[in-house]
């Protein structure tokens, strides 16, 4: 500051320099800071040039274009009270960030004695949140050749989780064609939604499946669940046997009835006669 002023005098108040000296100008060392939840983070607001001794410094948090005070009248206010401090000259330090701190913040400096007496700078803060254990759904038993859908969801993670599936503790590749082991499998894997879909399950697809949700803050996984693939032929055989039994039952019942009727009607007929 002093240097700038000296330079101004030396260049006999060239207009450019005059403007620089009597203007408040802000800058930041990081416009897009990010941190993990429950950590410390700095919203850097540096004063590059100013002439006013006691500038007014304010911070606002902006959600859906609506500003609310965070620092005003030399006090931290609102949700950040007891969790933030100002570091000279105007940097806002959040000591224990929470997920609700993810927002845009505006540092505003008013310098009454400067010609250009106001400047502001917007900082975009992201607080990363670890995924929680995902809810996983694996069908217990699927008939051979049929479709099967395995799902995996977790809603806490920020940024949004990406998903990986594992079969018998081995990661399933995004594209089965890229692995000799999974080459003939019919699945498609959506890493954004966590859905693993088989269009036609094979015997070889049976196994223990589990899923992992992952983002920049961490990861979490569900316990393995077994998927069994049963042979449709066995079902056919079972059904066939059942049909035979039912037919046999019907015949037996039929014979019984006929016999009973005959038995019952014969005394009647005899009685009539
Ligand atoms: C940060 O805040 C969380 C939740 O309010 C609390 O459990 C944790 O102890 C705090 N951590 C520190 C270092 O203050
Ligand atoms: C995939 O199928 C082809 C043709 O049926 C077969 O020759 C090959 O061995 C199979 N590969 C695996 C890994 O099962």
């Amino acid at each position: 500051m002093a240097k700038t002023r000296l330079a101004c005098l030396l260049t006999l108040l060239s207009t450019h320099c005059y403007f620089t000296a009597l203007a408040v100008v802000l800058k930041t060392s990081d416009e897009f800071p990010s941190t993990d939840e429950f950590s410390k983070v700095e919203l850097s607001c540096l004063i590059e040039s100013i002439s006013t001794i006691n500038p007014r410094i304010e911070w606002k948090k902006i959600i859906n274009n609506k500003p609310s005070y965070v620092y005003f009248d030399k006090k931290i206010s609102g949700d950040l009270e007891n969790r933030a401090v100002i570091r000279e000259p105007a940097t806002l330090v959040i000591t224990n960030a929470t997920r609700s701190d993810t927002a845009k913040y505006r540092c505003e400096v008013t310098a009454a004695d400067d010609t250009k007496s106001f400047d502001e700078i917007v900082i975009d803060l992201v607080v990363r949140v670890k995924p929680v254990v995902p809810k996983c759904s694996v069908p217990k038993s699927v008939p051979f050749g049929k479709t099967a859908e395995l799902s995996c969801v977790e809603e806490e993670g920020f940024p949004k989780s990406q998903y990986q599936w594992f079969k018998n503790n081995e990661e399933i590749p995004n594209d089965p064609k890229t692995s000799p082991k999974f080459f003939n499998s019919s699945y498609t894997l959506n890493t954004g939604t966590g859905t693993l879909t088989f269009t036609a399950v094979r015997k070889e697809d049976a196994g223990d499946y589990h899923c992992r949700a992952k983002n920049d803050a961490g990861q979490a996984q569900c316990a393995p669940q077994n998927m069994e693939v049963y042979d449709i032929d066995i079902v056919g055989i079972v059904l066939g046997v059942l049909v035979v039994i039912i037919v046999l039952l019907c015949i037996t019942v039929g014979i019984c009835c006929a016999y009973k009727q005959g038995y019952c009607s014969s005394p009647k007929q005899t009685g009539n006669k």
Side-chain angles (χ1 to χ4, degrees):
M1 263 163 15
K3 250 191 198 163
T4 323
R5 273 187 165 167
L6 189 63
C8 284
L9 287 173
L10 289 175
T11 52
L12 296 168
L13 300 169
S14 81
T15 39
H16 167 76
C17 192
Y18 178 78
F19 181 78
T20 316
L22 295 186
V24 54
V25 178
L26 303 182
K27 67 169 186 181
T28 180
S29 65
D30 189 359
E31 200 182 338
F32 299 100
S34 65
T35 187
D36 290 340
E37 197 172 30
F38 310 127
S39 304
K40 179 173 161 176
V41 65
E42 279 182 25
L43 279 59
S44 143
C45 180
L46 306 168
I47 300 175
E48 198 168 47
S49 132
I50 200 163
S51 299
T52 308
I53 307 296
N54 251 325
R56 190 170 82 211
I57 295 164
E58 290 174 2
W59 274 96
K60 286 170 188 157
K61 179 179 183 176
I62 304 155
I63 299 173
N64 299 326
N65 290 320
K66 272 188 161 169
S68 63
Y69 276 108
V70 163
Y71 181 68
F72 175 72
D73 203 12
K74 295 190 166 29
K75 281 195 286 284
I76 304 278
S77 61
D79 176 45
L80 278 178
E81 219 177 336
N82 305 321
R83 285 199 295 125
V85 291
I86 289 290
R87 199 177 62 209
E88 292 286 322
T91 293
L92 181 69
V93 181
I94 300 178
T95 51
N96 187 358
T98 70
R99 59 191 69 190
S100 61
D101 295 339
T102 292
K104 284 190 167 67
Y105 293 82
R106 195 162 66 212
C107 173
E108 302 176 359
V109 177
T110 310
D113 299 340
D114 287 74
T115 311
K116 180 184 168 288
S117 61
F118 180 79
D119 199 14
E120 60 182 28
I121 203 163
V122 174
I123 311 290
D124 202 342
L125 171 67
V126 168
V127 179
R128 295 179 295 251
V129 181
K130 284 192 184 85
V132 293
V133 173
K135 287 192 175 70
C136 298
S137 147
V138 176
K140 277 198 169 53
S141 166
V142 186
F144 173 85
K146 297 292 180 200
T147 63
E149 188 174 291
L150 286 69
S151 69
C152 178
V153 198
E154 167 301 305
E155 303 283 358
E156 301 288 310
F158 186 83
K160 227 172 143 333
S161 286
Q162 292 288 304
Y163 299 93
Q164 293 167 291
W165 274 98
F166 296 80
K167 180 191 167 196
N168 301 331
N169 289 322
E170 186 178 339
E171 188 179 350
I172 296 173
N174 288 2
D175 178 2
K177 297 291 177 230
T178 58
S179 149
K181 214 163 185 173
F182 293 95
F183 193 82
N184 288 339
S185 194
S186 68
Y187 70 80
T188 50
L189 174 59
N190 187 328
T191 54
T193 62
T195 310
L196 176 66
T197 314
F198 293 88
T199 48
V201 293
R202 307 167 307 148
K203 284 277 180 200
E204 296 84 348
D205 293 324
D208 290 330
Y209 286 86
H210 78 270
C211 163
R212 179 184 290 164
K214 199 174 169 184
N215 70 8
D216 292 344
Q219 58 183 53
Q221 58 187 46
C222 61
Q225 296 173 43
N226 187 257
M227 180 172 89
E228 186 184 272
V229 177
Y230 62 87
D231 209 324
I232 205 84
D233 288 349
I234 287 175
V235 177
I237 291 163
V238 169
L239 278 180
V241 169
L242 271 179
V243 166
V244 170
I245 290 171
I246 288 166
V247 168
L248 282 177
L249 268 176
C250 283
I251 292 172
T252 317
V253 169
I255 290 172
C256 269
C257 280
Y259 183 66
K260 251 191 183 168
Q261 251 177 11
Y263 189 77
C264 287
S265 60
S266 39
K268 258 188 203 164
Q269 275 173 353
T270 338
N272 281 350
K273 273 179 188 172

